[in-house]
Amino acid sequence: SQGKWWGDDCLRHVDGFWLLPQFVEPIDRVIKHFRPLPSDIILASLPKTGTTWLKSLLFAIVHRSSKHRLAMKNPHELVPTLEVQVYTASDEPLTTNPCSTHRIFSTHIPYQLLAETLDSSDCRIVYVTRNPKDTLVSTWHFVNKWKKAEKEPWPLEVAADKFCDGLIPCGPYYDHVMGYKKLSWEKPNKLFFITYEELMSDPISHVKKLAEFLGCPFEGDDEEGQIEEVVKCCSFRVLSEHEVNKSEESPAWFQLPYNSFFRKGAVGDHKNYLSDEIIEHIDALTIEKFHSVGFMYGV
Ligand code: A3P
């Protein structure tokens, strides 16, 4: 059922990945029926790694003159997720934004499952990831909101064990990240790989690069000013203050309210939650899964 989506009994193991049961069929439909146009932009990510932030940035970069819409609509309404809002109920897509030059979609589907679809066109892919410890803590908070109706909160130690065993929606975390990371090594013109931490530490230069990658560079005398405006309107501080994003209302396609996508928006929050032992364990796993294959990230 939708309400109880955590635990081995809730996630389904499909082709090496753990999927939420309600998305198994929509994911299959996306894989079978979605044909990206060469002008499409696909944002790929794991949940809780910065999807909402990147949705707002992609929207603001591509639809520069309409970025004020971010004050009225939640980023997830402006950039729909393929398996959650587009291929939900039938093989025909619900949303296609046909008027726009660039359609922007997002997905949590691992590259290993979506490779044929994504390789079948010259669409551009943006992948965002976040260090595993902050991803775990953000996921833990999110699941606890989900579980609010249940009496027992979800213990952090249990969440950490599950995370390390790969048991998060669309996990294992490490396989998901490496699927897209390898593609970025093979085809840097097709996939723009960015981390939450890079974006936080130097948003201006990364937003500039992102816009160039998307074929929508900032131009003119006031290039820097335009980028600053985009960065500001997509910042946690500004976005999370909009009434629509403070709303307790849940969208039709999701069980939690719009405000559940905004919590703290910081780098390193895991230090406030995880024990030294859990940190050591995750760091060792990160070294084994990332560093050993040349991706020096996450510790
Ligand atoms: P925290 O729980 O650490 O605060 P996703 O969008 O992939 O579900 O990720 C949600 C995480 O991104 C949450 O992290 C949320 O607060 C943070 N977030 C949402 N909007 C953001 C923004 N504009 N800038 C930075 N972080 C943001």
Side-chain angles (χ1 to χ4, degrees), residues 45-53 56 76 108 130 134 137-138 141 196 200 234-236 239 261-266 269:
S45 65
L46 273 168
K48 313 329 292 169
T49 59
T51 318
T52 312
W53 192 9
S56 66
H76 294 273
H108 295 312
R130 187 179 194 184
D134 284 349
V137 167
S138 183
H141 279 286
Y196 188 98
M200 197 59 96
C234 298
S235 68
F236 182 87
L239 268 191
F261 295 105
F262 300 91
R263 187 187 63 92
K264 193 164 182 181
D269 195 34

Side-chain angles (χ1 to χ4, degrees), residues 22-43:
Q22 64 268 39
F23 297 130
V24 171
E25 279 182 22
I27 284 176
D28 199 43
R29 272 189 219 116
V30 175
I31 293 169
K32 286 200 179 114
H33 301 289
F34 176 54
R35 294 286 164 268
L37 301 174
S39 53
D40 283 352
I41 296 166
I42 317 285
L43 168 67

